[in-house]
Amino acid sequence: ARGRGEKKAIKGNKPANSPKGQPPDADGHSSVTDLANSLTGDMVMLSPGSEDDDGEGPISEKLGRIQFSIGYSFQNTTLTVKVLRGQELPAKDFSGTSDPFVKIYLLPDKKHKLETKVKRKNLNPHWNETFLFEGFPYEKVRERTLYLQVLDYDRFSRNDPIGEVSIPLNKVELGQIKTFWKELKPCSDGSGRRGDLLVSLCYNPTANTITVNIIKARNLKAMDIGGTSDPYVKVWLMHKDKRVEKKKTVTMKRCLNPIFNESFPFDVPAHVLRETTIIITVMDKDRLSRNDVIGKIYLSWKSGPAEVKHWKDMLARPRTNVAQWHALKA
């Protein structure tokens, strides 16, 4: 695919716009640790990416992939980076989609960045934009790492990182234009990670109930100055956009991997199932100020792919506790 998008240039390695925000170091890394230690009873463990998963081993959330090309002109001492397209990006918004754009850096320089346009409501965006780093000697280029960060644009709050790719330029044959497809990895500064929550759902069609069991969380984002959080979980039953009923767990003090094991039954008649959403919010309790939101999950038949899968599995296995890990979202 040839990019005909507008060209943006960095002359002498300084772009016109002065950027905000910083990407992580190129060598940063993140890890997702332990999984469900012991799940008892007639519980089925499912992961977002499988049909029937025994739940052992961490579930890596699929973040999609990005296509881009890199080339260097010795004649013009110019590095050309084309951001072509994204594929199968995860839905970050409540509406079940994302508004993705890409930030481009040449690490270790974090001060200067370039950005693509935002593609509204698109999980398979075509950017086709060309970026020129002009007046850039070859030996300097070889010391740099191309870093691409895909984010979900948010008008009202912080943009939500989706994933990243980095490629050391000394590992690339720069003489001719090379095109890459790369899987996105979780953002290594942890900026995109709020932690994960293990939830089980049980639908009883006879009693017309959905029982939500908040089992435990892992790797929650530290919200307090001391590098920890005091988490509790709020569960709202929504009908269309109206709040019907709220339940909440106890608060766990200074804990980023809390075990809750609390169950909440909700009355949900069959005819309102399609208009029902369960909003699960992990909060950080604060004695002196407003409680902070650590992250949320929207469970319904029309939210993101992992959430929809859990909802459908719940309906397909009535009277069974169907458990699944979910990555918390902003």
Side-chain angles (χ1 to χ4, degrees), residues 223-274:
M223 305 299 275
D224 302 339
I225 296 164
T228 184
S229 290
D230 299 330
Y232 69 96
V233 182
K234 271 193 318 196
V235 185
W236 271 105
L237 178 72
M238 310 283 290
H239 179 249
K240 294 186 175 155
D241 290 328
K242 288 197 184 68
R243 294 175 167 186
V244 180
E245 195 179 350
K246 179 177 94 167
K247 307 272 175 81
K248 67 179 185 183
T249 68
V250 298
T251 301
M252 297 294 183
K253 291 271 183 237
R254 291 184 292 284
C255 185
L256 298 179
N257 297 283
I259 296 171
F260 296 102
N261 275 333
E262 291 191 52
S263 287
F264 306 107
F266 293 97
D267 290 325
V268 183
H271 68 276
V272 300
L273 263 175
R274 278 185 85 73

Side-chain angles (χ1 to χ4, degrees), residues 5 17 69 89 104 133 154 167 182 208-209 222-223 239 266 285:
N17 53 346
S69 70
L89 300 181
I104 300 117
F133 296 84
D154 198 315
I167 188 160
K182 291 276 185 191
N208 283 331
T209 58
M223 305 299 275
H239 179 249
F266 293 97
K285 181 125 177 110

Side-chain angles (χ1 to χ4, degrees), residues 28-208:
H29 56 270
S30 66
S31 65
V32 178
T33 48
D34 91 304
L35 194 50
N37 317 352
S38 56
L39 288 166
T40 50
D42 57 344
M43 180 152 336
V44 181
M45 266 300 294
L46 294 156
S47 76
S50 73
E51 275 313 301
D52 250 323
D53 203 300
D54 62 1
E56 293 309 314
I59 292 149
S60 60
E61 197 187 3
K62 284 267 182 271
L63 300 176
R65 61 190 74 83
I66 186 170
Q67 188 187 40
F68 58 96
S69 70
I70 310 170
Y72 184 77
S73 162
F74 290 91
Q75 197 178 346
N76 306 322
T77 59
T78 296
L79 178 73
T80 301
V81 177
K82 285 186 181 180
V83 178
L84 298 168
R85 58 193 177 125
Q87 217 174 49
E88 294 175 5
L89 300 181
K92 288 286 186 182
D93 302 337
F94 181 26
S95 56
T97 183
S98 288
D99 302 322
F101 71 101
V102 184
K103 286 185 189 176
I104 300 117
Y105 296 83
L106 288 182
L107 298 179
D109 177 12
K110 297 178 185 173
K111 288 200 292 291
H112 305 120
K113 74 168 188 302
L114 293 170
E115 293 183 357
T116 66
K117 292 194 169 82
V118 174
K119 294 294 178 185
R120 299 270 174 202
K121 297 188 171 36
N122 198 334
L123 300 180
N124 296 287
H126 285 247
W127 289 288
N128 285 335
E129 290 188 52
T130 301
F131 301 88
L132 305 177
F133 296 84
E134 297 175 328
F136 215 137
Y138 181 64
E139 12 346 314
K140 285 268 192 299
V141 169
R142 287 178 55 78
E143 293 167 5
R144 298 304 181 93
T145 294
L146 175 68
Y147 173 82
L148 304 178
Q149 187 182 35
V150 183
L151 298 102
D152 172 41
Y153 173 77
D154 198 315
R155 208 151 51 99
F156 301 109
S157 67
R158 242 175 100 251
N159 297 326
D160 206 9
I162 291 174
E164 68 181 18
V165 163
S166 56
I167 188 160
L169 293 177
N170 61 6
K171 298 228 167 40
V172 182
E173 273 294 330
L174 287 170
Q176 64 263 31
I177 291 178
K178 270 208 163 11
T179 302
F180 300 87
W181 270 113
K182 291 276 185 191
E183 299 288 325
L184 291 169
K185 296 188 163 55
C187 291
S188 48
D189 61 349
S191 58
R193 293 216 58 86
R194 295 163 178 277
D196 308 289
L197 188 66
L198 181 60
V199 178
S200 85
L201 300 175
C202 179
Y203 176 55
N204 185 329
T206 320
N208 283 331

